[in-house]
Amino acid sequence: MNGESDIEVGMVSVLCTVYNHGKYLRKTLEGFVNQKVDFKYEILIHDDASKDDSADIIKEYYEKYPDIIRPIFQKENQYSKGVQIMHNLFKLARGEYIAICEGDDYWTDNNKLKIQYDYISKHKDCACVFHPVEYLKNEIVVCNDKHGDCERNFSIRELIRGGGGFQATCSLFFRSKYVKGDLPAFVRMADITDYPVQLLLGVSGNVHYIPRVMAKYRWINEGSWTNRMIDDKEKYLKHLYTLRSWLGEFNCYTTHKYGKDVAYVVVLSSLGMYLEGVYPAEKWNTIINELSVCDSNAVKWMICKHKLVRIIKRFPVLYMVLKGLKMRLTKMMS
């Protein structure tokens, strides 16, 4: 199954990657199998040689739902070999549409797939539909990523500047044809999948936002990618350099239409590590010199803003109040 000709029209493929998610996995799988839909869907769940009971839980659910669950079990960990697992799942997906949810996140709305399916199937110019999620830390909701209360399309510039966290991976629902076959170089170069795929979808069609919270995302979870980056600064630094490289390739792919937006992300993503003293000062100066579109005043403002946000985020309630105030002000001014 390599191309669009393998797609079953109207079908949805749910893609789930799992590694040592045993203590969360049942809730994730329940969110999948309890969806209220009037279309066919399949669940491709990939276990990357977990060392806990994840594989046993997947087998348990496969025995209950053999018609919709397609399990893939690895004997050796593929992530450690540099394999882009999600890219392989894209090729295996049989649906016209794809939804993604990793094994430690979960859907909280049994109508999620139906809501997103109904919208995208009626709007041929729509490439992707997403929604806000609640962030969980130690099983407590600390915030959500709502981008206002109005249903609307987001521009590619907003997606670029928003970074990979702008659209939670467990909220994505998109047309599979955009990730079938050979992916663009900038997607293949990236060491993560969600952000480059979001940008690919953003330049392929409309990206629509439905302001209904329908999932929970485990933030800085044990064993998560974010947690691994926090624990290993050298690994994060390598990720930063890779980010810069594939964003540069994306800039070429889009014939430099969004150069200022790409520059903004490169500077902002470097900023946190620079302030922590991990990002080399001489590398930072090189980036600033190269990014002529970022004048000194803009960079100074970004540094001040970043420091302020870091302080405010230590107080989740205050952060939520200020975020709500910002959204109300934006709505009043629009």
Side-chain angles (χ1 to χ4, degrees):
M1 287 172 281
N2 296 313
E4 198 172 336
S5 60
D6 302 312
I7 294 173
E8 185 170 336
V9 176
M11 185 179 183
V12 175
S13 295
V14 178
L15 310 184
C16 180
T17 54
V18 173
Y19 181 67
N20 291 346
H21 290 149
K23 63 181 179 180
Y24 310 121
L25 194 51
R26 281 191 171 84
K27 186 167 281 191
T28 304
L29 292 172
E30 286 295 319
F32 296 163
V33 299
N34 288 327
Q35 288 296 302
K36 298 175 181 178
V37 298
D38 53 7
F39 49 81
K40 288 178 64 176
Y41 75 108
E42 63 175 357
I43 302 165
L44 274 73
I45 182 162
H46 179 282
D47 179 74
D48 200 17
S50 293
K51 297 177 181 178
D52 63 1
D53 60 347
S54 293
D56 293 333
I57 294 171
I58 294 169
K59 290 173 184 175
E60 173 191 327
Y61 275 79
Y62 172 63
E63 290 175 1
K64 290 181 181 177
Y65 306 96
D67 294 335
I68 59 173
I69 293 181
R70 294 172 59 195
I72 301 168
F73 300 105
Q74 298 291 350
K75 293 182 179 180
E76 294 181 298
N77 186 269
Q78 301 300 297
Y79 177 82
S80 62
K81 297 180 179 182
V83 176
Q84 284 281 19
I85 295 168
M86 192 59 71
H87 294 184
N88 291 337
L89 293 183
F90 289 157
K91 294 176 182 178
L92 293 172
R94 296 181 298 196
E96 182 180 3
Y97 307 103
I98 286 175
I100 302 178
C101 185
E102 295 176 340
D104 53 345
D105 303 327
Y106 62 99
W107 298 340
T108 55
D109 193 323
N110 292 342
N111 295 301
K112 171 196 153 64
L113 289 183
K114 181 72 166 61
I115 291 169
Q116 293 180 291
Y117 180 94
D118 284 350
Y119 182 87
I120 200 170
S121 62
K122 292 174 184 175
H123 296 81
K124 302 304 179 184
D125 55 353
C126 181
C128 175
V129 187
F130 75 106
H131 58 80
V133 306
E134 291 180 325
Y135 278 58
L136 282 180
K137 189 174 182 182
N138 298 324
E139 301 303 308
I140 298 171
V141 175
V142 293
C143 64
N144 63 55
D145 63 353
K146 264 197 168 187
H147 305 302
D149 296 319
C150 298
E151 187 168 336
R152 71 178 181 95
N153 292 335
F154 274 86
S155 70
I156 181 61
R157 286 190 164 88
E158 290 174 302
L159 299 181
I160 295 170
R161 287 184 176 240
F166 189 79
Q167 296 170 279
T169 305
C170 56
S171 78
L172 297 177
F173 188 103
F174 55 92
R175 297 184 189 276
S176 64
K177 67 180 181 180
Y178 297 121
V179 295
K180 286 287 189 180
D182 294 329
L183 292 166
F186 74 88
V187 180
R188 300 196 308 272
M189 289 169 59
D191 58 346
I192 53 174
T193 301
D194 49 4
Y195 188 24
V197 166
Q198 289 167 26
L199 299 193
L200 175 61
L201 295 169
V203 297
S204 300
N206 289 335
V207 173
H208 191 72
Y209 168 73
I210 296 175
R212 174 166 167 163
V213 175
M214 295 190 278
K216 282 187 167 64
Y217 166 76
R218 296 186 192 277
W219 185 43
I220 316 181
N221 181 44
E222 180 183 351
S224 68
W225 181 89
T226 306
N227 219 20
R228 291 197 298 272
M229 293 300 108
I230 291 172
D231 293 339
D232 192 336
K233 301 301 184 185
E234 288 300 317
K235 186 176 289 186
Y236 189 77
L237 202 55
K238 183 179 178 181
H239 164 70
L240 203 58
Y241 293 144
T242 304
L243 174 73
R244 188 182 179 201
S245 296
W246 74 255
L247 278 173
E249 183 62 31
F250 170 78
N251 202 22
C252 295
Y253 179 81
T254 55
T255 62
H256 305 277
K257 290 180 183 176
Y258 313 107
K260 289 187 178 182
D261 306 293
V262 168
Y264 173 89
V265 174
V266 171
V267 173
L268 195 60
S269 62
S270 306
L271 185 57
M273 295 298 283
Y274 174 71
L275 293 174
E276 294 290 342
V278 177
Y279 198 82
E282 65 275 12
K283 291 287 186 181
W284 171 259
N285 291 332
T286 300
I287 286 181
I288 295 302
N289 291 333
E290 289 178 356
L291 300 174
S292 57
V293 294
C294 290
D295 60 66
S296 58
N297 289 331
V299 173
K300 287 177 183 177
W301 160 242
M302 288 163 64
I303 291 173
C304 291
K305 181 180 177 182
H306 185 82
K307 285 181 176 178
L308 183 61
V309 169
R310 283 175 63 210
I311 293 170
I312 293 173
K313 278 189 173 180
R314 295 175 186 172
F315 307 94
V317 175
L318 176 61
Y319 177 70
M320 290 291 289
V321 170
L322 292 176
K323 187 175 180 181
L325 179 61
K326 179 185 175 182
M327 287 191 297
R328 283 194 291 272
L329 288 172
T330 302
K331 188 175 181 181
M332 287 171 61
M333 294 172 66
S334 60

